[in-house]
Each structure stands twice: as structure tokens, then as C-alpha cells.
């Protein structure tokens, strides 16, 4: 008996993917475009990625603070309304660490997602491997490129894997 | 590389906002109208704001009580069906303290939302600052006007901030 | 300033109401029809109310049991798939105790809902008041008729109360 | 290799057992005495079993109520402080249904314990089997006598079972 | 008074059913086709059932591993993103044990679902009855055929039971 | 058969009672002394009740703030470490509202405790009854004096009620 | 500056370790004896490991069942009172798979522990590696011998690791 | 009336404090010694702070890995057994960021603690203020020295604050 290919599909579910971390490259677009090209039923969420807006949002709306600590605090708390809500409602949390900067907020998001039991995918280059070992240990996958993330989402959501499921489909 | 503006948007999510507290001014409408004008994908919820109905609902439906304590008790418990359900399902809880009255139910709602881990935005005038310090300390933002709340919702939900993201959009 | 009547409405939320308990009178239909007449955005759920099907479902599908205990056990566990799922997903749980029978499953449902923090409305006649005092103490409302439940749902969901909110609407 | 008998013992844990339900026979003492005789490391909890105190505690302390409903309500809510706290902290909840009375509070406790995921042991006579089938279906054991409960506690806590583990012990 | 047949229906709810376990026979299709034929409002989910893809997905996407343990580990963790998410969002978890193989992942899924409080239906042949007794003890139903599962879903979701509710419907 | 008085005692449990609210009268001592006199196995917790220390703790330890809002914020957040931890670990939360001041933190604590499912006892004078109706509706008991709270703790913890259980004890 | 060795110790905590799985070898004793020899502050728990008692406990206490399915069911549910309680209260769950038998209950326990977020250590021989890959993927460590488990407990609890921390201690 | 100083003490509670982060200075000892000198009823927990042991623990116990990624992975997962357990059981989590290194595990721990609702105290120097703003925004206090942490613990646990509560004590 031949199991049908529809058996490996999840019917009628839209997956929510939160894309946390580095905001200086186009990795989010590459994932979003790849997911669209693959026809995945997903919706993506992310922090506000406009750097200056993210820094100044608190004081821009609620009034200036002479002390930089409170300037930052007001902004960070306002951003937290968005980020914690969206992480809390995500099915999968993807966290990318770039080549530069401290990126403690990315690691914070990873810890936050881990405690909520969210499946985590981490993206980083090999040179950060040792420094990120605790974060990687909490992840279900560690990738190096956005394209790998797209391939994983395609597999996880649609059960499709190049060189495997396409062969079966071709044969049917 | 230019990150696209769509990166800071949450796709396909309707945000639920609960508006708790003072019922004697038009602050809820100002937020609702501001959110509509900004094109936000939100739905608002609130307690029943008809003062007499809110006081008498229990006895009006379930029969009179000679003792004022039980009169109030029946009404308050009936209102709790609505308020606790809607706070429990909200993404963000906004609590406004007005200039008058004890408003213990507003503070109660804030505590209730805090224990559920809901992001809280408080609105009050400066003269209540000291008396509300514990409530403010549990909030992620403290505003003075409904318009500030609208600006925050616009930033949190759509990633738009006047003077920041509009410049980028204009330049693109 | 005149608060608009729309302020007391919950926008875009369908309320889930679970109707537990007595299956020998038409109280569920009276609530469902009353809710429909009031234009409430609700969906109702209930246990299977076909008495014989409810008793025999386990053995009818999974095979007979010579021992009545296991006959009943198989049926009760199959029913539990439905009832616990639907109670767990309800916004409000209504439990009606009739005039006859032990109705321990109704009290069990009430306890189950209470531990989940669900708002509970109990319906029973005055003669059961003392025997049901622990159940009533866990409820947010104790009614005697289905029509009172409809009136409460109308108030809780739409903020409408005869003799109160209709006057305001009439005056506007 | 002979596994030692200590392998089946839980070291250093005191088990908390809540005894809910019927207050007119000595079933609680029979369990407590049996557990003591078996040397079990347990502590028992129960509702207040003084019938009149349980009925009147609310008004006796907080003042009289002319309406019997509120008289009972005050008492039932005060009793709930005790019962819900102790059920919530129990390792095992035992619920006994007697031969008489409605005993809806016993069924309520069973439902409450079930929703908390507590292991439930029910005690009742065969004549209530059909009426209690939903409660039984939520239990991990259904007994008829307090002595069976003691034997189960002895097995669950100490791993001792007459005719089985004593033979091994005797042979060692 | 004749209770209407609509009373036993759950309105407007789509049930999510996760089908865990054996991937070598067509049991999933038989359930899916049976549910479709019965007109049930359900959506099914399952692990990826393409055996080779399931084994190799980790290394195919993230790069080869010389050590078989890590080869398997990468794949199993990637599969876990799918399976744990879908089990966590299911209303009912069905677990089938086939005639061959260790099938420890099926038992793992059953334990995982049990701890989340999900209703579990187990399918297996009589010869595995003793070895599966702990799994069966955590289930609300133990079936032998996919057709029995369909009949249970039809009863649980629509309240329909052959030989019972059809008679009532016929008489109306 | 005479049920023994020991049946209504909880063995070996120390109850944790959190005393929230007004800090200007000796109500906490009256409860603590009453509980000691009654021989109750309790431990009490409370916020820091030294008014100036509570206001200034943040800046005194972490450095001054020129803006009163942040002065208060630092203090309130430091106090929150204590209060939220102790409320979260309490078996019972008692909240007293005094005759003066806004006391929004007391109402906040009540809401916080309610959302955690803690049994709440409120103490206030009759003149606040209407303004506190939502808080009272979330409580399991509403008292006017600390002595009533002691009597309730004695009943809840030891099952002793003047005029009831002492008579039985006297007769034994 | 030399960090003191006490820094890596957890003060005053007794760790609870649940030992699930295979009951035919002495692996539990080897862990318990190793932990005792290492001076670890632990307490171990386990299922009842007397095979016949475990199989027959239900019918031995609650009465015989002619049908083997219910014979097993009664026993398995009684055992579940012990196992689910102890797993739920464990800090760490160790699951050993032996060389023989189906051992579905071991895999069930692993899934149960995983859904509760418990740290899991698996013990098995290399030949089961592929069949256990999903279970291993949910574990924080995969060992082959009880002695490795002891070494891990010693490291996790006391921060001691042969060849590392002993050198520092020797040098101090 | 003079409130007694005992009112601000928490009776009989040992506070558990987890000290996360930087392992190259003596900040943990300074906190532990300060707490001991202040007579606080606390117990401290921490990750294993022996750097080489922490890196190699996985392979030292479970066998070598040629690939550095898996070498680190095994160690990080073993450390996670300790750190996640102890953070999960802490009353307060203190996280210190040092002057050097990425310290992503510290930020991860902060996020993990935040999602669990643990009160967080952060310690860092002013130069990291901007990079740590998201972490600070999730904290209830941000300190620069271990001595400030001791002062906060003394205030939070014992209600003692230099210059405030000592004056009252002196006057009594």
C-alpha cells in the first residue's frame, strides 16, 4: 500500500514565526521571500527593525528624559510590549546572531522563548559557536544561513525535503 | 542593503486591547478613533460603562436584595464574568485613573493583568504619580493622554513612529 | 460629554458557552433561542444529550462488556473526550441542576470548571439551595431560569440591560 | 543479581492525602488508623467535619444573614478557603460518596481535583455505580472500603502488597 | 417536550486531531477518509511520514554528520519542532502501535500528550495489550481499528452514534 | 459512632498568610497576636511597613534620582521583589483598606492575588463597601475587624469555631 | 583573585531524582550507591520494581477481573498514582532502556517528563540508538552506564568533575 | 500606636537566590559574605564556575567528540540540567555582566528568568548601559556593585535599610 503524500501535510494551520535578532542585514527578507516562494502557510513577526525608532520610541511619545538610562528604559519597555507578546504567540522562534555587537537582546529573547517551551532555531556563523553554546543547547536547530531556515520551515510545515519527497512525488 | 519597511510589521495579527478604568470621560473613544484613523488592526474591549446598569445588573436580572452589600455583590460578580474574561484574552491592558473617586477596581484590574503577565499601559495625571507608584512599576508604559496611547499602539503594532519611520518611507 | 453606546460593546469576539447538566428539559434550547433572538455573538456547546447513546457509546463502538462497571466506564471516558475539551475551551460554563436524579456529573463539571478558573453560572430551583451551597459559592451567578441566563449573557456580552441601556439608547 | 527491596521505596517523601466527601461515618479514621498501623509517611487533610460549624461558620464569625442563601454562601466561601487550598496541595485526593444525601460538594471536589491533574481515588457502594460513572471515569481507582484505600496507599507509597512483596521480604 | 437533535452538536468548532505512530500502513488515510465521509469538521495533523526524509532531514539541510548518533539527533530535533507543536495544539491525540518495531516515539508522544492533559485514543492489536497497559491506562479509549476511531470522532464531535441517534433522527 | 475531633485538623501544615494594605494602624499585630494566642501553625508575611524606607529604598541603595517619578519607580520596583514573591507563595492573602488615602497598591495586590487563584480575605469599614464592591466580589470573605480574621484563620486551619466545636470538645 | 570552590556548590538543596525504566538489572542500586559514595544530597524515587506486584496490584486490592485487559488496566492505573506523582515532583528524570522487551512505559515516562519540562537523562546501549532517537532528542544527556549518571549527578549537584575540580582543590 | 519592627519581617522563609553570569571576579563571594554578615536567611545557587570543567564536563563524562560543536553541545546541555533547575526554583535571579566577553549565556538566563516571572536584579557597569537596555527593562533593579545587591536583599528580606529602619530601632 502506498501512503499518500497528503499524509505528511498539516491541514489548515498557519504557522507563526518570530524572527529575533540582528537588524543590519536582509536575513528576514530572505526568509520571508523564501517562504513565499515555497508556498508556506506562515506569518512572520519581528521586533521593530528601524534602529533609531527602536531607540527613541519611548521618549518620542512619552516625553524626553535627561538621563540616558531612563531614555533607554522607556524605549526598551515599549519595545517589550511588542516583542514579548509576539514571542509568546509564536509557534517557532528564530534568533539570528550577527558578526558584530553584543546582541544581548537576541540572547535574552532566546532565553525567554526557551522558558516558554517554544521551538528555537538559531542562526550564526561558526566563529560564534563556542560563545553561543548555551543558546545552541536550548535550540532544536542551529543554522548558518536564512536559506537553511527556509528549508527547515518547508520540511516542518509541509513535510517537503529536496531529494526525498520530490522523488516520491515525481514517481507518483 | 536597505531593509524593507515591511520588516517591522506584524502580518495578519489582530491585537486585542482591553481598556480598563475611569468611565466618565471620552478617553476610550479617543483611543478607538485614533486607532481607526491610524489604520491599526485592533479590537477593543471594555467593562460595561453604563454606570447605573453596571451597579444594578445583578439585582435587575436575578432579583432584588434588601442588603446593599449583596446588591453590589451580585452586580460585581456578574460584571466580573465580562471583565476577567476579556482581560484574560487581551494582548495589552490599558488602565486609566481619572481625577476623582477611589477607582479601586481600576487598580484591581491592573494587579489582575500583572499577575497574568499582560503588558500594561497606565494613563493618569501627574498629581496621582506618587499614589500610583506601585501600579506604574508594574506597567510597561505610563502615559498622560489617550493620544499617547494611540501613538504607542501604532508603534507597537505597525512599527510606525512620527519623525522616524515616516522619514524612511519618504526617502524610499 | 456623552459616552457613546458602542463603548460597552466587545468588538469581534464570539463567546463560547458550555451548557452542562440536566438533559430532560428544554433549558438548552430556551437559552440558545433567547441568545439568537437577542442577536448575541455566541456559540454553544454541550454534552451529548441523547441519553441512551451517552450510556452505551463506549460498548457500541469498542465492543460489549459483561460487567456493567466497565460498560459504563468505557462510555464515560468516551464522553469525557467531548466534555473536558469543550469545558476547557469555553468562556463561560453554565451548569443546570434539575429536580431529580443525583446529577453528580453536573457537580463534577462545576468543580472542573472552577479549577480551570472559568466563570460559572448555576441554574437550580430554590429547594436545592442548601445542598448546592458549595457549588453556588464557586459560581459568579446563581439563576433559576434559562431566561435569566439569556439576560445575563446579553448584559455580559453586549452590555445591554432592559430598563437601563435601552433608555439611553432611546434618548440618543 | 537480586534487586534490593529498598528499590521500590520512595525515600524521604511525606505524601499529602486529602479526604473529601461524606462526614457521617468513621471512614476517615479507618484510613488514618490503617495508614498509621502500616507505618506510612503520610499526612491527611479534610474539610471541617463538624456539620453545624461547617454550615454556620460564615455567619458565626462575620454576622448573621436573614436570607438563607447568603447565610449558606458566607459559610461555603469560608469553607472553600480551606478545601481548595488543601486539595490544591494534595498528592492524592480520596472522595467518598455515602449512601444518603446529594453530596454535590463531593462530586464538585472530584471535578476540581481532576482539572488540577490530581490522582483521584473514589469510594462508593455498588448501588451508586451508574450515577457516579463520570466521576469514576476521572479516577485512577474505585474502591468500596477504607481498608482498600489503605492497601492502595501502602502499595503506592511503600511498594508493599500482601501476598507479593512480603514473600520476597520473607525469602531474603 | 422533545429535545432537538441540534442540542448535541458543537457549533462552529473545528477539531484538531493529531495522528501519531506507525507509518507503514494506511491507517491515517482510513481515518481521514472516514471523517470526510461522515462530514466531520476536523483537521488532521501528523508527523512527516516519509521514512527516509524523516531520518535524514537534519543532515540534508544542515550538513552531514560522520557520527550516526548526531546524524539522528539533528533529524530527531528537527522533527520535534513539528511534532511537539502539533501535539501541543491538538484537541485529541490518536496513537497507533503497529505490529512491528520498537515504536518508542509513539509511546513518547503518548506520554507527552498525557502530561499536557490531552485526550488520548490508542489503537493497537490485542497481542500488545499487556506491554501497552501503562499507555492504555493514560488513554480515554483503546481501539483496534481506524474505523472505530472514526466512529468515536463522529460521536464525540457530532453526537452521532449508529443505532441510537439515527433512530431519533429518523423518527423526527 | 462519634467522629473524633482530630478529623477536622490539618496535620503538619504551616499556613502562609500575606497581610497586604494599610500600614498606619496595628491590625497586623492584632492578627499575629490573635493567631499566636489561638496556637495556629501560621507564618505571616507583609510588605515593608516602614513608610519612609518603603518610599526611598530604591534611591537610598541605587543612587538618587532628580525626577520624582523615577525616585518612586526605583523604590516601587524594589518593593515589588518582596511583595510579588510573598503573595505568590502565600496560602491566603488578607487585604485591609483603611479609612484614608488612595490605597491603590492594596487593590492592586488584591487583583494580583485573584489572578493567581489565591483565597482572599478583605477587611474594610462599611463606608467603603460600594467603592470596594469589585474587590469584595473577588474575595472569599469580607471582614471588618482583625479579630474576625483571626477567628476565620482558626476555623480554616484548625476547624475550631466558638460555640460549636468547643461544645463538642467539652462533651467528649 | 581566586574564586573559592564553594562558589560552585548549591547550598541546602536536596535533589529529587526519578529512576524510570528497566527493572531487571541492578542499575538503580548502582546509581544510588554511587551517589551515596559521592556524598550527594539526593533522594531517589522509582516505580514499584516488584514485577508481579506491579502487574497484579489492582486486582489484588480491588478484586479480580476475568478480562485480562481490565486486570492490567486496574494495575496500571494504580501504578500511575505513584509514577506520575513522583515524576511530577522530580528535579531530574533518568530513564533506562534495557536490552529486551518493548519498554513502552519507559518511553511514555520520557514523553511525560519532557512535556513537564523536566531535565531528562537517558541510559541505553548503542544498539538502540536509532530506535531511541526521538527520546534521545528530548534528553539533556545520553549515557550508557549508571556510573556515568553518577558522575553527571556529582557534577550537576556539587560541581565536581574528576580531573578538573579535584586538581583545583588539590592546589588550594 | 507604634507599629513594631517585627511587622516588616518575613517569618521562617529561606530565600533562594540564583547568581548568574560572569565567573572571573569575586562578585558571588562578596554577595554571599555580605548576606552572611547581614544575617540574612538565604541560600545561594550558581552555575558551575570552574571554567574548564564547565566547558569539558560533557565529554569528560560521556566520551570525546571530534567536532567542537558537539563537544560544546554535550557540555552545555549537561550544565543546563543544573542552571535551568536552579533558576526555576529561585526566588530572585541576579545576573552580572562583566567588562569582557560576549556573555550570551548571562543574557539567556535573564530572558529565561523573565519568562518564568522571576524578579531579576542586573549588575553591570555604566558602559554597558545601552547594550543591556532590553535586559535592564526586564529587571526590577539595576545595580553596579555586589554591595548594592546585598543592601537590596537585606531590605527585601528583612525590611532593613541603613539610615531608615536603624533609626527607628535606635529610638525604640
Amino acid at each position: 500500500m502506498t501512503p499518500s503524500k497528503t499524509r505528511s501535510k498539516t491541514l489548515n494551520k498557519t504557522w507563526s514565526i518570530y524572527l529575533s535578532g540582528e537588524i543590519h542585514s536582509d536575513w528576514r527578507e530572505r526568509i520571508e521571500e523564501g517562504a513565499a516562494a515555497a508556498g508556506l502557510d506562515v506569518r512572520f513577526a519581528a521586533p521593530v527593525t528601524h534602529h533609531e525608532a527602536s531607540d527613541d520610541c519611548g521618549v518620542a511619545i512619552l516625553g524626553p528624559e535627561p538621563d540616558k538610562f531612563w531614555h533607554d528604559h522607556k524605549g526598551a519597555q515599549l519595545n517589550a510590549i511588542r516583542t514579548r507578546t509576539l514571542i509568546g504567540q509564536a509557534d517557532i522562534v528564530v534568533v539570528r546572531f550577527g558578526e558584530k555587537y553584543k546582541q544581548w537582546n537576541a540572547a535574552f529573547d532566546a532565553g525567554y522563548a526557551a522558558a516558554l517551551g517554544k521551538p528555537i532555531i538559531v542562526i550564526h556563523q561558526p566563529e560564534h559557536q563556542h560563545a553561543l553554546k548555551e543558546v545552541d543547547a536550548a535550540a532544536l536547530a542551529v543554522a548558518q544561513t536564512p536559506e537553511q531556515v527556509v528549508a527547515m520551515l518547508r520540511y516542518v510545515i509541509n513535510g517537503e525535503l529536496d531529494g526525498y519527497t520530490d522523488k516520491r512525488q515525481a514517481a507518483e
Side-chain angles (χ1 to χ4, degrees), chain A residues 6 20 26 35 45 52-53 57 61 73 87 98 104 119 124-125 148 160-162 167:
Chain A
T6 62
S20 169
D26 64 345
E52 294 75 22
C57 59
I61 296 172
H73 189 74
I87 292 175
W104 282 321
H124 64 77
Q125 292 306 304
Q148 288 175 317
E160 296 168 351
L161 183 66
D162 281 349
K167 289 181 186 167

Side-chain angles (χ1 to χ4, degrees), chain A residues 53-59 70-80:
Chain A
S54 176
D55 272 5
D56 296 345
C57 59
V59 296
W70 297 118
H71 176 114
D72 282 349
H73 189 74
K74 274 166 121 170
Q77 289 211 319
L78 186 49
N79 281 305

Side-chain angles (χ1 to χ4, degrees), chain A residues 21-169:
Chain A
E22 180 256 312
I23 62 170
H24 300 284
S25 75
D26 64 345
W27 70 279
R28 282 186 184 82
E29 278 121 334
R30 285 162 63 187
I31 290 177
E32 293 180 22
E33 288 164 10
L40 303 185
D41 187 358
V42 288
R43 60 180 182 191
F44 292 96
V48 173
T49 56
H50 187 293
H51 196 122
E52 294 75 22
S54 176
D55 272 5
D56 296 345
C57 59
V59 296
I61 296 172
L62 297 170
E65 292 292 335
D67 185 334
K68 188 62 162 58
F69 179 85
W70 297 118
H71 176 114
D72 282 349
H73 189 74
K74 274 166 121 170
Q77 289 211 319
L78 186 49
N79 281 305
I81 297 178
R82 178 183 176 99
T83 57
R84 292 185 208 162
T85 300
L86 294 175
I87 292 175
Q89 295 174 359
D91 292 309
I92 299 174
V93 175
V94 181
V95 188
R96 172 163 157 75
F97 291 84
E99 283 66 42
K100 296 184 292 185
Y101 308 111
K102 292 291 189 185
Q103 307 181 79
W104 282 321
N105 56 336
F108 179 90
D109 283 357
Y112 194 88
L116 296 180
K118 302 287 174 186
I120 297 170
I121 296 174
V122 181
I123 314 177
H124 64 77
Q125 292 306 304
E127 66 262 33
H128 285 331
Q129 181 267 316
H130 186 66
L132 281 170
K133 68 185 195 294
E134 286 88 2
V135 175
D136 287 354
L140 286 175
V142 179
Q144 294 190 22
T145 68
E147 285 66 35
Q148 288 175 317
V149 174
V150 172
M152 286 191 281
L153 292 179
R154 189 170 160 242
Y155 175 76
V156 164
I157 294 172
N158 278 3
E160 296 168 351
L161 183 66
D162 281 349
Y164 289 80
T165 54
D166 44 359
K167 289 181 186 167
R168 184 171 65 182
Q169 290 167 3

